[in-house]
Amino acid sequence: MAHTLPALPYAPDALEPHIDAQTMQIHHGKHHQAYVNNLNAAIEKAPELASWSLDDICRNIAKVPEAVRGAVRNNGGGHWNHSLFWQLMAPAGSGGAPSAALGDALKNAFTDEKTFKEKFVAAGVGRFGSGWAWLVAAKDGSLMIESTPNQDNPLMDGKHAILGCDVWEHAYYLKYQNKRPDYIAAWWNVVNWNEVSKRYDAR
Ligand code: MN3
């Protein structure tokens, strides 16, 4: 089964004014679609991967045949990351707040919400070039902030991401130009904490 582009869970303009409609249309319809197409093209050259789920691909990236591993890493990672990213956002005011359990874990790890956000923003702003900032939950419920280059993700290291922010320029350049910190500051307004909390419970 070829991989397919998932539909956005909201209209492209639903995250305005924080994330503009044109950015969403290009990001989802062009960039994410390209990751899907390029992943499928790589799998055609390594048909044994056709039965692997997208999670299998990320989790077992080191077992992917070397001839296609780079393409599968970049494009399989890109497909996985963006499929999650759309779910982690919601129209401003509709994403709720961290659950009680997640709120406690955030306090344990970072003292308070302000410090958590500062550290998460620092991970995103500090990622040189293109990549992602992540909040990762361990089985015991503890939380860590990480960042990855390119389209790598925590699942490639066997870790469970509950929140991720795309800090590639294509995620923000039309509206925020070079001001990545302004983009992340606005992005908090559209974080879907209900979904993040669900992922925390499912660790
Ligand atoms: Mn992107």
Side-chain angles (χ1 to χ4, degrees):
M1 259 284 281
H3 294 271
T4 56
L5 182 71
L8 281 179
Y10 33 71
D13 64 356
L15 307 181
E16 294 261 13
H18 308 291
I19 311 286
D20 63 285
Q22 193 186 10
T23 293
M24 287 299 293
Q25 277 159 344
I26 296 171
H27 199 176
H28 175 258
K30 305 291 183 193
H31 290 281
H32 190 171
Q33 182 72 64
Y35 297 127
V36 171
N37 295 348
N38 292 336
L39 174 63
N40 286 330
I43 290 173
E44 273 178 35
K45 293 182 207 147
E48 64 267 43
L49 300 177
S51 63
W52 294 24
S53 71
L54 188 54
D55 276 13
D56 290 339
I57 287 171
C58 292
R59 207 180 275 122
N60 300 296
I61 193 67
K63 294 180 190 155
V64 169
E66 205 175 340
V68 297
R69 193 181 304 147
V72 169
R73 183 180 196 111
N74 289 333
N75 294 290
H79 181 26
W80 191 95
N81 294 351
H82 289 83
S83 298
L84 174 61
F85 188 52
W86 314 132
Q87 304 291 330
L88 295 174
M89 297 187 289
S94 73
S99 66
L102 176 56
D104 285 348
L106 285 166
K107 275 194 198 104
N108 285 338
F110 308 107
T111 312
D112 54 38
E113 186 180 322
K114 181 167 168 282
T115 309
F116 157 64
K117 287 186 173 174
E118 282 170 3
K119 290 188 170 169
F120 190 91
V121 169
V125 172
R127 164 54 53 193
F128 182 78
S130 297
W132 291 73
W134 302 99
L135 181 63
V136 169
K139 288 241 185 292
D140 68 4
S142 59
L143 297 171
M144 288 234 321
I145 290 169
E146 298 190 354
S147 89
T148 56
N150 306 313
Q151 295 296 355
D152 286 2
N153 61 50
L155 187 56
M156 293 176 182
D157 292 320
K159 295 176 183 169
H160 181 66
I162 64 169
L163 178 64
C165 182
D166 186 346
V167 299
W168 283 58
E169 281 188 347
H170 69 221
Y172 61 87
Y173 205 84
L174 289 179
K175 185 173 170 79
Y176 297 98
Q177 293 81 48
N178 57 320
K179 298 181 288 274
R180 189 186 286 182
D182 291 3
Y183 153 67
I184 306 178
W187 175 77
W188 291 118
N189 291 295
V190 296
V191 169
N192 185 352
W193 286 109
N194 296 325
E195 184 65 26
V196 181
S197 301
K198 258 200 268 175
R199 290 187 66 81
Y200 180 69
D201 291 344
R203 67 189 181 269

